[in-house]
Amino acid sequence: MVSEKSIFWCGSILNHAGLKRYKGEAPSATQWSRGLIGGINQQDIDVKLFAPIWDSLFPKGKLFPVNKKYLDDHYNQIPVHYINAPLLRTKSVATALTYRILKYIKTYGAPLAIFNYNTYPHYCKAIKAVKRKYPDIIWVNLVLDLDDPLNDNWLAFKNDVLGSDGCVFLSWWGYENAPIKHKIHLDSGWNGNLPKHEDNGENVFIYAGKLSDVGGIATIIEAIKHYPQQDVYFDFYGKGHHAGLEELASKDNRVRIRGFVSDEELDKACSHAKVFLSPRDLNFQGTRMVFPSKNLFYLTYRKPIISQMLPGLSPEYEKIMLTPPGDDPKSWSETMLYAMHMDEERLQDLANRIESFLYTRKWENQASKLMNFVKELSK
């Protein structure tokens, strides 16, 4: 028998110190996981997390990287310890995870379903072992991102998810094109509380995300060089270092690198911002399978967002974002200038459209959609 009030989740949720410590753990993905788990909890369903912590391979990372003090204690998490060595890591995580899940089931009973955060081989190997022993458990893959599946015509993906019951895709392109029968599209969500708008007198553009070339920062750097207005600031928040950005900041006092900050500090900055920047390297091999979850985060502030219409975004986003006419720095600079000088009437119209859209993406609704999918799979 399985418990309809219990879900297992393969993946960890770190606190702020953990996100700062482990480079392999993405803050945006952590926020996504927190939101969806919170929505599931609202349906009186317990979510038990089996939590390895992802670190760089030894010797760059720790040989035994899991430390409970870095797990967010707001969630019910069981640490999964493993050997973080080359050639051993995947098997070690899979073995430890299988052991932890089976031990828990033996003591407390089986869940209705197991979700895995991305189709990582260590998760898939472990869940396949669990499914062999408990075939009534529903296995659903949560596909947040993926290497370009067209490189091998979806072969690796199909091998990883073989034996699973269904998949959830954040990427619209992934949902539309994945060669599987049971799938739903569920990109992101918000908690239903709209942040306040505050004006601190500064004209600020904000970028919040990974400070790397994959994030499309190179285009923004060149766009800033073209941007004529001087009484503005370009604030960059996130993990990592970007040499080109640091060089620009040393020469242009409009550019401020804020780094990785607390949720509260980022929220305050976003409430003051005038425009959000969401670039992406369109030539990056995994772009088709990426949903830029920071776009949904930005949208809650109901202000202009400049972003390309990526394959991972559903068509609904076209009406609520500003899209540069090209992917070149001049096009971005011109769109940035337009966004900064939108009049109140256009800003209010945009805010109204964004707010209408947001109510289709509340986490409680997204979680309900996911659990209805699970229940259909269990029939």
Side-chain angles (χ1 to χ4, degrees), residues 84-130:
N84 188 35
L87 305 179
L88 290 178
R89 178 164 66 177
T90 295
K91 185 176 181 180
S92 179
V93 176
T95 301
L97 185 58
T98 304
Y99 170 78
R100 282 289 195 179
I101 292 174
L102 291 178
K103 182 180 179 183
Y104 191 90
I105 291 174
K106 186 176 181 180
T107 305
Y108 299 103
L112 171 63
I114 298 179
F115 300 156
N116 51 298
Y117 172 93
N118 270 333
T119 57
Y120 297 133
H122 44 275
Y123 290 156
C124 294
K125 289 176 187 293
I127 301 173
K128 285 176 183 179
V130 174

Side-chain angles (χ1 to χ4, degrees), residues 99-214:
Y99 170 78
R100 282 289 195 179
I101 292 174
L102 291 178
K103 182 180 179 183
Y104 191 90
I105 291 174
K106 186 176 181 180
T107 305
Y108 299 103
L112 171 63
I114 298 179
F115 300 156
N116 51 298
Y117 172 93
N118 270 333
T119 57
Y120 297 133
H122 44 275
Y123 290 156
C124 294
K125 289 176 187 293
I127 301 173
K128 285 176 183 179
V130 174
K131 279 278 282 184
R132 283 193 292 270
K133 193 160 186 177
Y134 297 95
D136 290 340
I137 297 175
I138 302 301
W139 170 18
V140 175
N141 300 277
L142 306 178
V143 186
L144 282 80
D145 51 52
L146 200 67
D147 288 339
D148 189 348
L150 296 186
N151 288 340
D152 65 357
N153 197 28
W154 293 90
L155 182 62
F157 172 82
K158 288 188 286 187
N159 286 337
D160 286 337
V161 305
L162 184 65
S164 66
D165 297 284
C167 290
V168 174
F169 290 93
L170 276 70
S171 162
W172 180 255
W173 184 92
Y175 166 70
E176 289 273 279
N177 291 278
I180 57 172
K181 183 178 180 181
H182 301 297
K183 56 185 176 179
I184 60 169
H185 175 250
L186 189 160
D187 48 27
S188 193
W190 67 300
N191 63 11
N193 298 317
L194 291 171
K196 292 180 181 179
H197 283 191
E198 297 180 6
D199 190 347
N200 67 350
E202 292 184 341
N203 298 315
V204 179
F205 292 92
I206 278 185
Y207 168 93
K210 187 179 288 187
L211 303 182
S212 72
D213 283 328
V214 174

